[in-house]
Amino acid sequence: DGGITQSPKYLFRKEGQNVTLSCEQNLNHDAMYWYRQDPGQGLRLIYYSQIVNDFQKGDIAEGYSVSREKKESFPLTVTSAQKNPTAFYLCASSPRTVNNSPLHFGNGTRLTVT
Amino acid sequence: AQSVSQHNHHVILSEAASLELGCNYSYGGTVNLFWYVQYPGQHLQLLLKYFSGDPLVKGIKGFEAEFIKSKFSFNLRKPSVQWSDTAEYFCAELKVGYQKVTFGTGTKLQVIP
């Protein structure tokens, strides 16, 4: 079955460490997205990528970095510069353009930084 | 300012009650609108979507939503809720021509048996 795989499901890190969240899709979708979900704030867009080797900042990109070296993969690095990294992170993908296409979501990674 | 507003943060209903969850967007141009649902412990799923045409769209599990352009609204409705509808519901907007999907803050629905 096609889908989006996020790993791991739970991740724990010490403050000051960078951490990378994995997102892989086998849907042959061109576009991929990273959101963070916090209680009472809905989903906020961190970064998105429309094609390989290209990505754009979303609404809350500070303290995060991404890469898009392969179509199937869009890893997110939470750096030590992110002031409040503990959150639930969701990866999504969609076909070549988002217009007229809904997002498909992974199951998420819950990151806890102490 | 939030471009997608969901006014109800937490709604509690008894089974068989009717449901209406509010969603307002602010973009004055052409939009695609979506409702997603997140059941406890599960990933986000698409309930329904509006792209163009008939402003009344029907989704899965008996849900529907009406796009009212003059009111910038896309409210979600269901005539009779079930306990299994307990979940968090998110409204989302895509400004056509742009690539970002913006979500509302979500509404938690609790259905009491």
Side-chain angles (χ1 to χ4, degrees):
Chain A
D1 284 341
I4 300 176
T5 302
Q6 290 187 244
S7 60
K9 189 173 180 178
Y10 299 97
L11 194 51
F12 297 89
R13 279 294 182 274
K14 294 288 187 188
E15 196 173 315
Q17 293 178 331
N18 291 356
V19 59
T20 298
L21 281 59
S22 169
C23 178
E24 304 278 330
Q25 54 100 358
N26 60 4
L27 299 165
N28 199 33
H29 285 172
D30 284 294
M32 296 187 74
Y33 303 78
W34 274 105
Y35 288 86
R36 73 176 269 171
Q37 185 178 7
D38 297 282
Q41 298 195 57
L43 279 71
R44 293 181 290 167
L45 182 64
I46 304 172
Y47 267 97
Y48 60 106
S49 166
Q50 297 301 302
I51 55 172
V52 174
N53 293 323
D54 186 44
F55 48 83
Q56 289 80 40
K57 292 182 179 180
D59 299 317
I60 54 165
E62 186 175 348
Y64 298 97
S65 66
V66 292
S67 63
R68 187 84 189 277
E69 297 176 4
K70 299 187 297 182
K71 187 175 184 177
E72 312 81 61
S73 178
F74 191 42
L76 173 74
T77 296
V78 185
T79 75
S80 56
Q82 167 50 234
K83 298 210 178 350
N84 188 19
T86 294
F88 187 59
Y89 290 87
L90 283 164
C91 180
S93 71
S94 72
R96 188 161 64 88
T97 62
V98 179
N99 293 355
N100 297 350
S101 299
L103 297 176
H104 297 255
F105 284 90
N107 285 342
T109 292
R110 187 166 296 280
L111 173 65
T112 302
V113 176
T114 57
Chain B
Q2 192 80 16
S3 65
V4 179
S5 299
Q6 292 182 243
H7 316 294
N8 314 105
H9 298 296
H10 196 182
V11 173
I12 302 174
L13 294 172
S14 298
E15 274 193 315
S18 65
L19 169 73
E20 182 159 3
L21 301 183
C23 173
N24 286 95
Y25 64 95
S26 59
Y27 184 58
T30 304
V31 292
N32 296 161
L33 296 162
F34 308 88
W35 275 99
Y36 285 85
V37 61
Q38 189 173 33
Y39 297 103
Q42 297 189 27
H43 62 274
L44 277 157
Q45 303 173 37
L46 182 70
L47 261 184
L48 48 79
K49 59 186 184 290
Y50 171 78
F51 294 147
S52 63
D54 189 346
L56 183 63
V57 292
K58 295 192 183 299
I60 60 171
K61 304 187 182 187
F63 286 91
E64 66 178 31
E66 186 173 12
F67 170 58
I68 304 180
K69 191 173 182 179
S70 60
K71 294 184 178 179
F72 292 82
S73 71
F74 190 57
N75 292 356
L76 181 71
R77 300 194 293 247
K78 185 171 183 178
S80 175
V81 294
Q82 301 172 319
W83 175 79
S84 57
D85 293 324
T86 295
E88 190 161 15
Y89 293 81
F90 295 92
C91 182
E93 160 204 78
L94 167 74
K95 300 178 179 71
V96 172
Y98 296 85
Q99 302 302 324
K100 298 195 304 185
V101 177
T102 304
F103 285 80
T105 53
T107 298
K108 285 189 178 174
L109 172 65
Q110 184 179 355
V111 180
I112 301 170

